């Protein structure tokens, strides 16, 4: 880190210290603790992702600053409690990156990308073993992750040890099987929402597995589907409004017709 960057980080750390000063600090900042900041951290991470998705680089810069501030805030809280400080955080990630990339920071060589990834997972497994007495392959996958992302990570861990299908066929068959089980529950026990929800969970888990085999990130794919649906629905709303009507004045057949028109217009562009 050059002197300019070091000075700017020090300035940010000083600002954080002043915000938490018990006598002259900000009342809101003084009320915060580790738990209360977590929702803000998650929100800031999503705002970074959204700015990148929109290719709005001015916003990306700003949102990254907001996310960095979250790290500084946690570090300040930890400093006050004698747990660790910002330098410990930086040292920790520096050591971890160096350790996980021996092919970059030492003479170790790997034959291909697969070997690099295998070493990466092996190092992560060692780290998990050192952190926790839970020696399961699935230890330390954060519970707070979005469900689709967590399912993907669970499946990746299992696949790394061979618990996975080699071809796409059985994966597709599993999705069909789970869909059939959902519909069977709907027909046989339509009032048992708990059982239907359980089968829906199995179906979603199998769809995540299909996404993984197709090298598609399920969380990203669903986000894109949400955006596409919203874009098309907004256009349907606009088309209906231009006809002097509201959505609830249209039949489902009319709305389907407008939806198909919007889809066709997109395909023709």
């Amino acid at each position: 880190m050059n002197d300019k960057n070091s000075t700017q980080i020090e300035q940010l750390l000083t600002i954080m210290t002043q915000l938490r000063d018990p006598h002259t600090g900000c009342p809101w900042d003084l009320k915060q603790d580790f738990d209360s900041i977590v929702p803000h951290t998650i929100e800031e991470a999503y705002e970074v992702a959204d700015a990148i998705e929109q290719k709005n680089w001015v916003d990306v810069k700003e949102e990254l600053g907001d996310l960095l501030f979250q790290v500084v805030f946690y570090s300040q809280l930890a400093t006050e409690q004698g747990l660790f400080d910002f330098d410990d955080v930086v040292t920790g990630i520096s050591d971890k990156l160096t350790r996980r990339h021996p092919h970059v920071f030492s003479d170790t060589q790997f034959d291909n990308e697969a070997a690099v990834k295998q070493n990466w997972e092996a190092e992560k497994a060692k780290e998990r073993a050192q952190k926790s007495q839970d020696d399961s392959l699935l230890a330390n996958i954060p519970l707070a992750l979005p469900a689709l992302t967590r399912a993907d990570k669970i499946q990746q861990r299992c696949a790394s040890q061979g618990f996975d299908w080699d071809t796409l066929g059985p994966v597709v068959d599993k999705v069909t099987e789970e869909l059939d089980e959902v519909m069977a529950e709907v027909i046989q026990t339509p009032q048992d929402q708990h059982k239907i929800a359980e089968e829906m969970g199995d179906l979603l888990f199998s769809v995540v597995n299909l996404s993984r085999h197709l090298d598609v990130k399920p969380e990203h794919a669903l986000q894109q589907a949400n955006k596409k649906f919203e874009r098309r629905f907004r256009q349907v709303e606009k088309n209906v409004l231009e006809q002097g009507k509201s959505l609830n004045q249209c039949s489902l057949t009319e709305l389907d017709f407008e939806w198909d028109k919007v889809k066709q217009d997109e395909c023709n562009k």
Side-chain angles (χ1 to χ4, degrees), residues 89-100:
V89 174
V90 175
T91 298
I93 186 59
S94 298
D95 290 347
K96 181 189 293 185
L97 290 172
T98 303
R99 185 172 63 251
R100 290 185 181 180

PDB file of all heavy atoms in Angstrom, residues 89-100:
ATOM      1  N   VAL A  89      -7.652  -7.409  10.545  1.00  0.00           N
ATOM      2  CA  VAL A  89      -8.499  -7.822   9.420  1.00  0.00           C
ATOM      3  C   VAL A  89      -7.685  -7.868   8.131  1.00  0.00           C
ATOM      4  O   VAL A  89      -7.743  -8.835   7.366  1.00  0.00           O
ATOM      5  CB  VAL A  89      -9.698  -6.867   9.264  1.00  0.00           C
ATOM      6  CG1 VAL A  89     -10.494  -7.200   8.011  1.00  0.00           C
ATOM      7  CG2 VAL A  89     -10.596  -6.931  10.498  1.00  0.00           C
ATOM      8  N   VAL A  90      -6.915  -6.804   7.890  1.00  0.00           N
ATOM      9  CA  VAL A  90      -6.101  -6.725   6.674  1.00  0.00           C
ATOM     10  C   VAL A  90      -5.032  -7.817   6.659  1.00  0.00           C
ATOM     11  O   VAL A  90      -4.815  -8.487   5.645  1.00  0.00           O
ATOM     12  CB  VAL A  90      -5.447  -5.332   6.549  1.00  0.00           C
ATOM     13  CG1 VAL A  90      -4.497  -5.295   5.354  1.00  0.00           C
ATOM     14  CG2 VAL A  90      -6.519  -4.252   6.412  1.00  0.00           C
ATOM     15  N   THR A  91      -4.390  -8.013   7.800  1.00  0.00           N
ATOM     16  CA  THR A  91      -3.363  -9.052   7.895  1.00  0.00           C
ATOM     17  C   THR A  91      -3.967 -10.430   7.637  1.00  0.00           C
ATOM     18  O   THR A  91      -3.389 -11.265   6.935  1.00  0.00           O
ATOM     19  CB  THR A  91      -2.695  -9.039   9.287  1.00  0.00           C
ATOM     20  OG1 THR A  91      -2.060  -7.784   9.486  1.00  0.00           O
ATOM     21  CG2 THR A  91      -1.660 -10.145   9.412  1.00  0.00           C
ATOM     22  N   GLY A  92      -5.145 -10.652   8.183  1.00  0.00           N
ATOM     23  CA  GLY A  92      -5.812 -11.946   8.015  1.00  0.00           C
ATOM     24  C   GLY A  92      -6.118 -12.268   6.564  1.00  0.00           C
ATOM     25  O   GLY A  92      -5.830 -13.375   6.095  1.00  0.00           O
ATOM     26  N   ILE A  93      -6.673 -11.308   5.835  1.00  0.00           N
ATOM     27  CA  ILE A  93      -7.021 -11.578   4.439  1.00  0.00           C
ATOM     28  C   ILE A  93      -5.770 -11.670   3.581  1.00  0.00           C
ATOM     29  O   ILE A  93      -5.710 -12.474   2.639  1.00  0.00           O
ATOM     30  CB  ILE A  93      -8.004 -10.504   3.892  1.00  0.00           C
ATOM     31  CG1 ILE A  93      -8.471 -10.879   2.481  1.00  0.00           C
ATOM     32  CG2 ILE A  93      -7.379  -9.122   3.898  1.00  0.00           C
ATOM     33  CD1 ILE A  93      -9.181 -12.210   2.382  1.00  0.00           C
ATOM     34  N   SER A  94      -4.740 -10.900   3.909  1.00  0.00           N
ATOM     35  CA  SER A  94      -3.483 -10.983   3.167  1.00  0.00           C
ATOM     36  C   SER A  94      -2.846 -12.363   3.330  1.00  0.00           C
ATOM     37  O   SER A  94      -2.403 -12.988   2.351  1.00  0.00           O
ATOM     38  CB  SER A  94      -2.502  -9.895   3.629  1.00  0.00           C
ATOM     39  OG  SER A  94      -3.022  -8.604   3.382  1.00  0.00           O
ATOM     40  N   ASP A  95      -2.809 -12.845   4.564  1.00  0.00           N
ATOM     41  CA  ASP A  95      -2.245 -14.174   4.824  1.00  0.00           C
ATOM     42  C   ASP A  95      -3.056 -15.260   4.125  1.00  0.00           C
ATOM     43  O   ASP A  95      -2.496 -16.207   3.557  1.00  0.00           O
ATOM     44  CB  ASP A  95      -2.208 -14.453   6.331  1.00  0.00           C
ATOM     45  CG  ASP A  95      -1.178 -13.602   7.054  1.00  0.00           C
ATOM     46  OD1 ASP A  95      -0.331 -12.989   6.375  1.00  0.00           O
ATOM     47  OD2 ASP A  95      -1.227 -13.538   8.298  1.00  0.00           O
ATOM     48  N   LYS A  96      -4.383 -15.131   4.173  1.00  0.00           N
ATOM     49  CA  LYS A  96      -5.241 -16.143   3.563  1.00  0.00           C
ATOM     50  C   LYS A  96      -5.034 -16.206   2.048  1.00  0.00           C
ATOM     51  O   LYS A  96      -4.911 -17.291   1.474  1.00  0.00           O
ATOM     52  CB  LYS A  96      -6.713 -15.841   3.869  1.00  0.00           C
ATOM     53  CG  LYS A  96      -7.676 -16.864   3.283  1.00  0.00           C
ATOM     54  CD  LYS A  96      -9.118 -16.421   3.418  1.00  0.00           C
ATOM     55  CE  LYS A  96      -9.573 -16.374   4.851  1.00  0.00           C
ATOM     56  NZ  LYS A  96     -11.024 -16.054   4.963  1.00  0.00           N
ATOM     57  N   LEU A  97      -4.986 -15.050   1.399  1.00  0.00           N
ATOM     58  CA  LEU A  97      -4.810 -15.017  -0.058  1.00  0.00           C
ATOM     59  C   LEU A  97      -3.451 -15.582  -0.468  1.00  0.00           C
ATOM     60  O   LEU A  97      -3.338 -16.298  -1.467  1.00  0.00           O
ATOM     61  CB  LEU A  97      -4.971 -13.587  -0.572  1.00  0.00           C
ATOM     62  CG  LEU A  97      -6.387 -13.026  -0.509  1.00  0.00           C
ATOM     63  CD1 LEU A  97      -6.388 -11.533  -0.858  1.00  0.00           C
ATOM     64  CD2 LEU A  97      -7.320 -13.788  -1.444  1.00  0.00           C
ATOM     65  N   THR A  98      -2.439 -15.260   0.307  1.00  0.00           N
ATOM     66  CA  THR A  98      -1.105 -15.790   0.017  1.00  0.00           C
ATOM     67  C   THR A  98      -1.079 -17.305   0.182  1.00  0.00           C
ATOM     68  O   THR A  98      -0.527 -18.034  -0.659  1.00  0.00           O
ATOM     69  CB  THR A  98      -0.067 -15.151   0.949  1.00  0.00           C
ATOM     70  OG1 THR A  98      -0.110 -13.734   0.799  1.00  0.00           O
ATOM     71  CG2 THR A  98       1.335 -15.643   0.609  1.00  0.00           C
ATOM     72  N   ARG A  99      -1.720 -17.784   1.242  1.00  0.00           N
ATOM     73  CA  ARG A  99      -1.748 -19.216   1.526  1.00  0.00           C
ATOM     74  C   ARG A  99      -2.537 -19.987   0.473  1.00  0.00           C
ATOM     75  O   ARG A  99      -2.158 -21.091   0.083  1.00  0.00           O
ATOM     76  CB  ARG A  99      -2.363 -19.422   2.909  1.00  0.00           C
ATOM     77  CG  ARG A  99      -2.367 -20.853   3.402  1.00  0.00           C
ATOM     78  CD  ARG A  99      -2.808 -20.910   4.852  1.00  0.00           C
ATOM     79  NE  ARG A  99      -4.162 -20.441   5.064  1.00  0.00           N
ATOM     80  CZ  ARG A  99      -4.485 -19.303   5.677  1.00  0.00           C
ATOM     81  NH1 ARG A  99      -3.554 -18.481   6.126  1.00  0.00           N
ATOM     82  NH2 ARG A  99      -5.761 -18.955   5.848  1.00  0.00           N
ATOM     83  N   ARG A 100      -3.625 -19.394  -0.004  1.00  0.00           N
ATOM     84  CA  ARG A 100      -4.486 -20.099  -0.965  1.00  0.00           C
ATOM     85  C   ARG A 100      -3.977 -20.003  -2.407  1.00  0.00           C
ATOM     86  O   ARG A 100      -4.523 -20.648  -3.300  1.00  0.00           O
ATOM     87  CB  ARG A 100      -5.917 -19.539  -0.891  1.00  0.00           C
ATOM     88  CG  ARG A 100      -6.647 -19.897   0.384  1.00  0.00           C
ATOM     89  CD  ARG A 100      -8.082 -19.413   0.301  1.00  0.00           C
ATOM     90  NE  ARG A 100      -8.839 -19.717   1.516  1.00  0.00           N
ATOM     91  CZ  ARG A 100     -10.119 -19.396   1.689  1.00  0.00           C
ATOM     92  NH1 ARG A 100     -10.774 -18.759   0.733  1.00  0.00           N
ATOM     93  NH2 ARG A 100     -10.745 -19.701   2.811  1.00  0.00           N
TER      94      ARG A 100
END
